[in-house]
Amino acid sequence: MKIFLDTADIDEIRIAARWGVLDGVTTNPSLYAKVGGASYDSILQEVCRITSGPVSAEVVADDLEGMLTEGRHFAKLAPNIVVKVAMSEIGLEAISRLADEGIRTNCTLIFTANQGLLAAKAGASLVSPFVGRLDDINQDGMIVIRELAEIFAIHEIDAEIISASIRHPQHVTQSALAGAHIATMPFKVLQQMVHHPLTDKGIAQFKADWARVQAELAAKGS
């Protein structure tokens, strides 16, 4: 399963890239608002220089022509840009039109398998079920991942499933087991995946034992 970062923070993206685990990035207007400063275009271009994987840039227009205009603009920024479009009737039409033009899209705000199926049929390259938000309202978000994975496998649909709205490392494990092609997560969750109390304890013990042995050798030598 591929790992994407869900962020517009350049420093976080650089760190994950150095770790060798970054396969792509997803952004949205809310994530951009958190970092601010530079223009959205310049941030997207910098992200695309850091990773060669897909980088999702979300349109904010709610009319067809606006979506198409924004999508075409984003697609020109870098070859690995994927245009993010929210699920809606107009959104499906925009996805279809952009796909006809050879522009890859990521259909976001998916909450049912039917929505994901329609997005894939319209031509979306990626579909993003929001598992965390479903869990927030006492629904099992992983059901949507499992259903879409099975549907796509049965019907040989090429679109990839992004497990989005990841809240914690367990969501990542569940997503991988449920058949998601990608999990996109905040940097904090990626950090949590790295660490375990027993790992940290073991490293501390190794260092302490090494220091003790070196001290003993130094004492014998003197």
Side-chain angles (χ1 to χ4, degrees), residues 1 34 41 45 52 62 74 91 139 168 189 193-194 203 213:
M1 184 179 68
K34 289 181 180 179
D41 283 4
Q45 289 173 319
S52 60
D62 55 11
F74 287 143
Q139 295 185 16
H168 45 70
V189 173
M193 290 173 64
V194 175
I203 291 172
V213 171

Side-chain angles (χ1 to χ4, degrees), residues 46-123:
E46 180 62 23
V47 174
C48 288
R49 284 191 286 268
I50 296 170
T51 177
S52 60
V55 176
S56 289
E58 186 164 350
V59 301
V60 295
D62 55 11
D63 64 291
L64 178 62
E65 289 307 316
M67 290 180 181
L68 294 175
T69 298
E70 290 181 31
R72 291 165 183 151
H73 168 76
F74 287 143
K76 292 177 181 177
L77 295 177
N80 51 328
I81 287 285
V82 176
V83 178
K84 202 183 217 184
V85 181
M87 164 56 65
S88 69
E89 294 178 9
I90 296 175
L92 288 172
E93 185 173 354
I95 287 168
S96 179
R97 292 275 296 275
L98 291 169
D100 288 342
E101 297 176 21
I103 296 174
R104 293 181 296 166
T105 55
N106 172 3
C107 188
T108 189
L109 290 173
I110 298 288
F111 293 100
T112 69
N114 280 338
Q115 288 180 322
L117 175 59
L118 290 174
K121 286 187 65 64

Side-chain angles (χ1 to χ4, degrees), residues 9-220:
D9 188 309
I10 297 297
D11 290 337
E12 293 178 347
I13 295 166
R14 286 197 179 112
I15 292 169
R18 291 201 301 267
W19 291 353
V21 300
L22 184 67
D23 297 302
V25 173
T26 54
T27 70
N28 60 44
S30 297
L31 293 171
Y32 167 62
K34 289 181 180 179
V35 297
S39 70
Y40 191 34
D41 283 4
S42 63
I43 287 177
L44 290 170
Q45 289 173 319
E46 180 62 23
V47 174
C48 288
R49 284 191 286 268
I50 296 170
T51 177
S52 60
V55 176
S56 289
E58 186 164 350
V59 301
V60 295
D62 55 11
D63 64 291
L64 178 62
E65 289 307 316
M67 290 180 181
L68 294 175
T69 298
E70 290 181 31
R72 291 165 183 151
H73 168 76
F74 287 143
K76 292 177 181 177
L77 295 177
N80 51 328
I81 287 285
V82 176
V83 178
K84 202 183 217 184
V85 181
M87 164 56 65
S88 69
E89 294 178 9
I90 296 175
L92 288 172
E93 185 173 354
I95 287 168
S96 179
R97 292 275 296 275
L98 291 169
D100 288 342
E101 297 176 21
I103 296 174
R104 293 181 296 166
T105 55
N106 172 3
C107 188
T108 189
L109 290 173
I110 298 288
F111 293 100
T112 69
N114 280 338
Q115 288 180 322
L117 175 59
L118 290 174
K121 286 187 65 64
S125 306
L126 308 170
V127 297
S128 295
F130 277 37
V131 297
R133 294 196 191 184
L134 283 168
D135 287 359
D136 289 345
I137 61 169
N138 203 31
Q139 295 185 16
D140 186 352
M142 289 303 153
I143 290 176
V144 180
I145 301 292
R146 286 193 292 270
E147 288 178 344
L148 277 175
E150 187 170 355
I151 290 168
F152 285 13
I154 291 171
H155 299 284
E156 299 181 341
I157 294 171
D158 291 332
E160 291 187 289
I161 302 162
I162 301 184
S163 186
S165 185
I166 296 286
R167 300 283 196 253
H168 45 70
Q170 190 62 24
H171 270 157
V172 182
T173 303
Q174 292 169 343
S175 297
L177 291 171
H181 302 95
I182 303 159
T184 187
M185 67 200 71
F187 183 68
K188 177 182 177 181
V189 173
L190 183 62
Q191 285 181 306
Q192 289 171 333
M193 290 173 64
V194 175
H195 296 281
H196 189 282
L198 293 179
T199 303
D200 297 340
K201 182 179 179 181
I203 291 172
Q205 186 63 54
F206 292 156
K207 291 178 69 175
D209 289 344
W210 178 258
R212 177 178 53 79
V213 171
Q214 295 305 305
E216 289 173 356
L217 290 173
K220 290 179 181 178

